[in-house]
């Protein structure tokens, strides 16, 4: 009542509003104290995947019915509401496993990199986690964690960090806080103070040297770079470059390598492994990357530029896009939304990104 009078007074007679607001202060403080006390424990909030529009409508309808019904019918209505809220995300995961194959989604996280892979056995792998250097928002908490929850992921088999720059690293602590992470692979570099602070919230890293690999459910993640003797390279050129192979299909995750890193790959022992069906365009499509020799060695069907909308760098550079297109690639951009692919081990195709979070679409989806 006092708060309502204070609101009215602030509009009609501001001088009168001040003492009324002071009377409200103890109650407001008490309300905040109670709220903070009950919100502090980790169990005070339970995160679930989005139920989707149909699940939300069913949940509300069942709650309304439970409110009006009595006895066993009320319990049934409450149970239906709970199932409508909790079941959609696990259902999506089960449907993706039934479909089989490898699902690769280049997430839209602003100006940064984050790629989620769902393996044939249902396990999840993440390559980079996005990040925002100025700390204005956390793409890990805002974009990556919700996508994983919506996909029904409950744990992550492996996280790969290409290099410890903010737009690849700073989203990962939120991911590690939300899900158990079994393995964490890096290029061996620790970065600056901000990177060290982020590493403190992640599992102990394992350096993946060229030729070493992690394999699960028929999908191999093989490191191609950086080679020994690259200690003087920039953080970008020393990115962990991964070849992700699923049968005859290959994805090339190139981090932020530029001319020096590309030259070492095209002129080194792993040059034959650069050929890929899908490539993540190096360094977001900067003009200092995607040299002619590298593009010719990869020759992909699809090239994905991980960029933020209207980014201040002007990525991807016009000449870089033209170079990949001239090599026969269909260039796609994450500032237009997530980019999703499906592989059956023999061929790869682009699939609607929205289908991964739509149980009905997943039920109809075939490789």
């Amino acid at each position: 009542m006092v708060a309502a009078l204070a609101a009215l007074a602030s509009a009609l007679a501001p001088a009168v509003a001040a003492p009324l607001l002071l009377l409200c202060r103890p109650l407001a403080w008490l309300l905040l104290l109670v709220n903070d006390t009950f919100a502090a424990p980790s169990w005070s909030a339970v995160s679930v995947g989005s139920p989707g529009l149909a699940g939300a409508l069913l949940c509300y309808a069942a709650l309304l019915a439970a409110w009006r019904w009595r006895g066993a019918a009320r319990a049934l209505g409450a149970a239906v509401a709970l199932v409508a809220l909790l079941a959609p995300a696990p259902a999506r995961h089960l449907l993706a496993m039934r479909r089989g194959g490898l699902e690769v989604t280049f997430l839209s996280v602003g100006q940064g990199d984050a790629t989620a892979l769902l393996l044939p056995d249902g396990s999840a792998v993440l390559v980079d986690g996005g990040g925002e250097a100025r700390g204005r928002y956390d793409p890990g908490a805002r974009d990556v964690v919700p996508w994983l929850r919506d996909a029904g992921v409950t744990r992550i088999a492996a996280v790969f960090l290409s290099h410890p720059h903010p737009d690849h690293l700073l989203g990962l602590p939120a991911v590690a806080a939300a899900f158990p992470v079994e393995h964490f692979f890096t290029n061996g570099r620790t970065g600056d103070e901000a990177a060290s602070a982020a590493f403190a919230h992640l599992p102990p890293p394992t350096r993946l040297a060229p030729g070493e690999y992690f394999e699960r459910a028929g999908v191999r993640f093989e490191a191609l770079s950086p080679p020994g003797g690259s200690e003087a390279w920039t953080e970008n050129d020393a990115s962990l470059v991964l070849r992700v192979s699923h049968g005859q299909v290959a994805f090339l995750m190139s981090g932020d390598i530029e001319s020096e890193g590309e030259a070492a790959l095209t002129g080194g022992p792993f040059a034959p492994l650069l050929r890929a069906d899908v490539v993540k365009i190096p360094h977001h499509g900067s003009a200092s990357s995607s040299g002619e020799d590298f593009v010719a060695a990869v020759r992909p069907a699809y090239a994905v530029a991980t960029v933020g909308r209207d980014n201040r760098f002007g990525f991807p550079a016009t000449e870089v896009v033209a170079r990949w297109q001239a090599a026969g690639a269909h260039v796609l951009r994450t500032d237009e939304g997530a980019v999703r692919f499906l592989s059956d081990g023999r061929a790869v195709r682009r699939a609607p990104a929205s289908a991964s979070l739509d149980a009905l679409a997943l039920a109809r989806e075939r490789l």
Side-chain angles (χ1 to χ4, degrees):
M1 182 65 180
V2 176
L5 289 174
L8 181 62
S10 65
L12 300 177
V16 179
L20 292 175
L21 289 171
L22 285 174
L23 290 175
C24 296
R25 183 173 181 177
L27 291 176
W29 175 84
L30 181 61
L31 180 62
L32 288 173
L33 177 64
V34 172
N35 181 75
D36 291 343
T37 300
F38 282 94
S42 59
W43 45 262
S44 63
V46 178
S47 299
V48 299
S50 169
L53 179 59
L57 291 175
L58 178 59
C59 180
Y60 282 119
L63 286 174
L64 179 61
W67 176 68
R68 301 187 63 179
W69 294 341
R70 295 290 182 270
R74 171 173 285 185
L76 177 61
V80 170
L82 190 62
V83 170
L85 180 65
L86 300 180
R92 295 181 200 116
H93 193 248
L94 291 173
L95 288 168
M97 289 179 63
R98 189 195 70 166
R99 179 205 60 217
L102 171 65
E103 179 179 334
V104 180
T105 304
F106 295 86
L107 301 176
S108 181
V109 294
Q111 185 56 40
D113 275 22
T115 304
L117 300 94
L118 297 181
L119 309 189
D121 67 348
S123 56
V125 171
L126 191 65
V127 181
D128 290 331
E132 209 283 321
R134 288 176 282 183
R136 296 174 298 175
Y137 57 89
D138 181 357
R142 185 192 68 179
D143 303 314
V144 182
V145 170
W147 189 94
L148 292 169
R149 288 204 191 282
D150 289 352
V153 171
T154 57
R155 62 186 304 110
I156 299 178
V159 169
F160 294 87
L161 174 65
S162 62
H163 63 298
H165 271 175
D167 55 331
H168 296 250
L169 167 63
L170 296 188
L172 291 179
V175 174
F179 304 96
V181 176
E182 297 176 19
H183 302 280
F184 178 41
F185 298 104
T186 73
N187 63 353
R189 295 197 174 194
T190 56
D192 58 14
E193 290 185 8
S196 296
F199 274 114
H201 298 281
L202 296 168
T206 298
R207 178 178 180 268
L208 204 63
E212 296 179 339
Y213 62 88
F214 168 80
E215 187 166 356
R216 181 146 178 177
V219 181
R220 174 177 288 201
F221 299 78
E222 183 175 2
L224 306 184
S225 188
S230 59
E231 293 76 15
W233 287 9
T234 65
E235 294 283 15
N236 283 346
D237 276 314
S239 291
L240 176 65
V241 176
L242 293 171
R243 185 177 194 268
V244 182
S245 55
H246 176 229
Q248 301 169 27
V249 173
F251 293 78
L252 188 66
M253 306 296 185
S254 57
D256 275 1
I257 58 171
E258 299 178 284
S259 56
E260 190 168 16
E262 291 180 1
L265 281 168
T266 57
F270 295 105
L273 297 180
L274 293 177
R275 177 74 177 91
D277 299 280
V278 179
V279 64
K280 188 206 79 69
I281 295 177
H283 196 205
H284 315 284
S286 72
S288 57
S289 64
S290 298
E292 291 182 1
D293 290 343
F294 183 79
V295 172
V298 181
R299 302 190 315 280
Y302 298 95
V304 181
T306 50
V307 293
R309 183 175 299 172
D310 300 323
N311 67 84
R312 61 191 177 93
F313 308 103
F315 294 159
T318 303
E319 62 269 30
V320 167
V321 172
R323 207 171 293 146
W324 286 108
Q325 290 174 333
H330 182 191
V331 176
L332 304 165
R333 309 162 53 123
T334 57
D335 59 347
E336 298 172 352
V339 179
R340 178 172 174 257
F341 297 95
L342 295 176
S343 162
D344 63 359
R346 297 182 297 275
V348 65
R349 69 176 178 87
R350 188 184 178 192
S354 59
S356 64
L357 306 180
D358 182 340
L360 294 178
L362 282 171
R364 297 190 299 266
E365 200 167 56
R366 297 293 182 269
L367 295 176

